[in-house]
C-alpha cells in the first residue's frame, strides 16, 4: 500500500464494511420501530467515530483532486442601497398581536425519561445517510475540492489535523486506516500555500 490510490481504495472498502457492519449488527436494516438504549448508545458512538474517519477520507480525496482554475464569481453587495418597493405599505393594526405558544425550551419536561426502548428512526436515518455518503463519495469530494480551492485562493490558513485518540479500542483494520489517514493528510497538506501576512 505504498501508492496513495491503493490506500484510498483500501480505506474506502474498510470504512464501507465497518459502517455496514455497525448497522447490520444492530439489525437496523430490518427498520425496527424501537431499539434498546444500550444498542442505541453503542451504535451511535460507533457511527460517530466512523463519521470522523469518513470526513477525513473525503477531505483527503478532495485534496488529491486536480481542478480547473476558479472562475471569478459575481457577488452581491450587502451594503448597496435597496430600491424602494412601491407596493409596500405599513398596516396599522387595531388589535394587539395574539401571543404565540410558549417555546418548548421554556417548558419543563412533560414526562420523565422512562427506562426501556427508544425510537430507532433517528439512528436508522444517520446510518443510511452515511451509507449514501459512501455511495456518492466522489461527488462530495468534488464539491469539497472546489471549497478548498476557494479557501486557498482567499489565503485561509492550513487546516490542522490531529491524530484520532483511542485507536486501540477500534477494530484493527479501522485503526490502521485511522493512522494512515492522519499521515496521508499531513503529507497532502504540505502543499497548502502559506497565508500572506504582509
Amino acid at each position: 500500500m505504498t501508492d496513495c490510490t491503493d490506500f484510498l481504495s483500501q480505506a474506502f472498502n474498510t470504512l464501507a464494511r465497518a459502517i455496514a457492519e455497525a448497522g447490520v449488527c444492530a439489525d437496523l436494516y430490518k427498520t425496527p420501530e424501537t431499539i434498546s438504549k444500550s444498542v442505541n448508545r453503542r451504535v451511535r458512538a460507533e457511527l460517530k467515530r466512523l463519521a470522523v474517519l469518513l470526513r477525513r477520507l473525503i477531505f483527503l480525496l478532495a485534496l488529491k483532486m486536480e481542478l480547473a482554475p476558479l472562475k471569478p464569481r459575481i457577488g452581491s453587495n450587502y451594503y448597496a442601497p435597496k430600491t424602494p418597493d412601491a407596493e409596500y405599505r405599513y398596516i396599522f393594526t387595531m388589535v394587539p398581536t395574539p401571543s404565540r405558544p410558549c417555546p418548548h425550551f421554556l417548558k419543563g419536561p412533560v414526562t420523565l425519561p422512562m427506562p426501556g426502548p427508544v425510537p430507532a428512526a433517528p439512528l436508522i436515518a444517520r446510518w443510511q445517510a452515511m451509507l449514501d455518503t459512501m455511495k456518492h463519495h466522489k461527488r462530495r469530494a468534488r464539491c469539497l475540492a472546489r471549497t478548498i480551492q476557494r479557501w486557498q485562493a482567499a489565503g485561509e490558513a492550513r487546516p490542522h489535523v490531529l491524530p484520532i485518540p483511542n485507536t486501540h479500542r477500534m477494530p484493527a483494520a479501522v485503526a490502521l486506516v485511522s493512522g494512515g489517514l492522519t499521515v496521508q493528510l499531513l503529507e497532502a497538506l504540505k502543499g497548502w500555500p502559506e497565508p500572506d501576512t504582509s
Side-chain angles (χ1 to χ4, degrees), residues 89-168:
R89 30 177 224 163
Y90 178 76
I91 299 173
F92 183 77
T93 57
M94 296 299 289
V95 185
T97 309
S99 63
R100 295 185 180 175
C102 181
H104 71 281
F105 59 85
L106 291 178
K107 296 179 183 176
V110 178
T111 57
L112 292 173
M114 298 297 291
V118 294
L123 190 62
I124 292 171
R126 187 178 204 163
W127 181 58
Q128 288 176 343
M130 288 181 70
L131 291 175
D132 186 56
T133 303
M134 287 296 297
K135 184 177 179 182
H136 303 290
H137 68 274
K138 289 183 182 175
R139 185 183 61 185
R140 299 285 178 105
R142 199 175 305 112
C143 292
L144 184 59
R146 282 286 178 210
T147 305
I148 290 170
Q149 194 178 32
R150 283 194 294 274
W151 288 345
Q152 289 177 342
E156 293 285 332
R158 178 176 61 208
H160 186 64
V161 179
L162 292 172
I164 295 179
N166 299 329
T167 53
H168 64 280

Side-chain angles (χ1 to χ4, degrees), residues 19 21-23 26 28 35-52 55 118-127 130:
I19 291 169
E21 282 178 354
L28 295 183
I35 53 174
S36 68
K37 283 186 177 180
S38 60
V39 170
N40 182 39
R41 193 178 311 116
R42 180 179 49 81
V43 176
R44 194 173 288 276
E46 182 67 21
L47 289 181
K48 185 177 179 183
R49 188 179 334 160
L50 292 172
V52 172
R55 285 187 189 101
V118 294
L123 190 62
I124 292 171
R126 187 178 204 163
W127 181 58
M130 288 181 70

Side-chain angles (χ1 to χ4, degrees), residues 47-65:
L47 289 181
K48 185 177 179 183
R49 188 179 334 160
L50 292 172
V52 172
L53 293 175
L54 181 58
R55 285 187 189 101
R56 286 187 175 201
L57 193 55
I58 291 175
F59 187 66
L60 178 62
L61 188 62
L63 284 173
K64 298 287 181 188
M65 284 188 171

Side-chain angles (χ1 to χ4, degrees), residues 14-15 18 46 49-50 53 170-179:
T14 304
L15 279 184
E46 182 67 21
R49 188 179 334 160
L50 292 172
L53 293 175
M170 298 179 185
V174 178
L176 282 172
V177 167
S178 172

